[in-house]
Amino acid sequence: MVMRSRVSRRDWGLTWRMWFVMAMLAVVYLAFVAILSGLGVPWIGVGIVAGIMLFVQFFFSDRLVLWSMGAKVVTPEQEPKLHAMVDRLVEQAGMRKPKVAVANSEVPNAFATGRGPRNAVICVTTGIRRRLTDEELEGVLGHELTHVVNRDVLVITLASFFATVAAMLMQMLFWMGLFGGMGRSRDREGGGGGAIMIAYVASVAVYFIANLLILALSRYREYAADRGGAILTGAPSRLASALEKISGAIARIPTEDLRKVEGANAFFIVSALKGDSLAGLFSSHPPVHKRVERLRKLERELEGF
Amino acid sequence: MWPFRGGGNGAASGIADRLGTLATALPALTEQLDLHHQGTAGVCLRPGSMNRRKKDGALTLADVELWVTDALVWGGEGAGASFRTAQDSYGYLWVVMKSPDFAGLVSAAGKVAEAAGRKGWRDRLVVAMFPFKHGQQAAFWIFSFPSARFYPFAPLEEPQRDNRLELHMAKTMEKALPVDQVLERWKGLWGVPV
């Protein structure tokens, strides 16, 4: 593995905040378990169901995500340029090469999925390839490969375990509250409706707090992937300019030639709009301007040495 | 300044007025954006009509050549600018004007548009393009005839374009020019004979 510079691969402030959020999650979850046990809510059964659900989702994450995006895994023969780019970065990172996929979509996007480095897939859309230069695309691939190295799918899946339990309990307790169910606690003295109420409120609170923490964690993982990817390519500005191109005003400017578009749908007055779905995709991501700011700072650090 | 030969309609001269704002904006273009005009301009006509009910056939280069000679040169409308015609790789037809005087170029483009309107070719008018240089980077102000607005276009190798420069151009000139704020309509034209 070649390190191109003396700038640390890790941003310690970021790492600290990440661990802090994970510790908060652990505290929230432990308190949740304590409350549920204290109330005699049979949460273990729900936990097992949630566990199986998440495991299945995790186990099939690669196929599920590819399928939902309509992406196809491509061979080096089909996409020599893209594969060559991934090969270079993978060698640089000293990691196992993931599968490479392309999704036929005008929305400029890229993602990594799969449960670990062994069965990871990185995918780019045709839209992002049209918009970005080779250098910028390399910056994006570096970011996605860092997600794979950091095992972010696993981290987020684990982090969401109790949030999923809370969501399931929330629904269960709601119906129980309505129909006066939950056998065990009714046998207890002073149990019944009061216990269901407390367990319900606890579930709702845990669900919301946990989701906020997971979103924060996810944003920190994005920053970490930005940094790791930028150091991998040695040029943070590539990812920065890619991010600017696929978000905000720039993403609205068309890349097709006017005459080509007229030939294809000559009789539409307003061409088929591409919409703002990117905003939705980035909701678990930090604001682009902040990411770009950090990347530019990293660029200066890299140049400074 | 120009002899107006009847038959032109109000909308067409409105378009010439809006086009004219580009000539007024020239000092700002140079001083604030470091854009230097290249002494040419082009008006682009689509060969087929956008109106399905019009049964007239596709325009040929010969048609446009004949029309340019007839309507513009003989009519005295091209005074100050020299004209040539061209056809691009998509089959679109161009009237290309050349003049060191930018105001003359802009008004010549307006006259071409008006003359095309009189000829019944209004729905064939696509864009007028005005090439500039920003350092080494080519940058165009494109006037779209359907929207009667300008938008910037800084082509790199197709399909790339310098979006940052384009956004900067649009932002700087939004008061001085009727700039199209619908970014989805900023469609570029690569490899034009202008």
Side-chain angles (χ1 to χ4, degrees), chain A residues 6-27:
Chain A
R6 279 166 283 173
V7 172
S8 167
R9 206 167 254 277
R10 243 173 231 287
D11 176 335
W12 289 107
L14 192 60
T15 311
W16 188 85
R17 263 173 290 173
M18 217 139 67
W19 283 106
F20 179 72
V21 169
M22 286 198 266
M24 296 251 295
L25 264 177
V27 168

Side-chain angles (χ1 to χ4, degrees), chain A residues 141-152:
Chain A
L141 291 173
H143 169 98
E144 298 304 336
L145 287 171
T146 310
H147 272 312
V148 174
V149 174
N150 291 350
R151 295 176 175 268
D152 283 340

Side-chain angles (χ1 to χ4, degrees), chain A residues 30-43:
Chain A
L30 280 175
F32 186 43
V33 168
I35 291 172
L36 293 179
S37 305
L39 292 170
V41 176
W43 70 273

Side-chain angles (χ1 to χ4, degrees), chain A residues 136 241 244-245 249-250 253, chain B residues 28-30 32-36 130-141 151-156 160-174 179 183 186:
Chain A
E136 288 160 344
S241 84
E244 284 178 335
K245 268 197 192 174
I250 288 179
I253 300 176
Chain B
L29 291 172
T30 319
Q32 295 175 32
L33 283 166
D34 192 26
L35 288 175
H36 301 276
F130 300 90
F132 290 82
K133 274 271 161 68
H134 176 76
Q136 289 299 305
Q137 173 65 48
F140 293 85
W141 277 106
Y151 60 89
F153 173 54
L156 303 168
Q160 307 284 338
R161 47 199 288 190
D162 188 340
N163 294 137
R164 270 202 231 179
L165 174 59
E166 292 167 349
L167 289 170
H168 180 56
M169 285 165 70
K171 184 101 192 95
T172 312
M173 300 312 295
E174 68 187 359
V179 175
L183 274 53
W186 291 10

Side-chain angles (χ1 to χ4, degrees), chain A residues 196-218:
Chain A
I196 293 181
M197 202 58 214
I198 296 170
Y200 181 72
V201 170
S203 300
V204 173
V206 166
Y207 178 75
F208 281 106
I209 296 170
N211 271 309
L212 283 181
L213 289 172
I214 291 166
L215 282 176
L217 182 63
S218 156

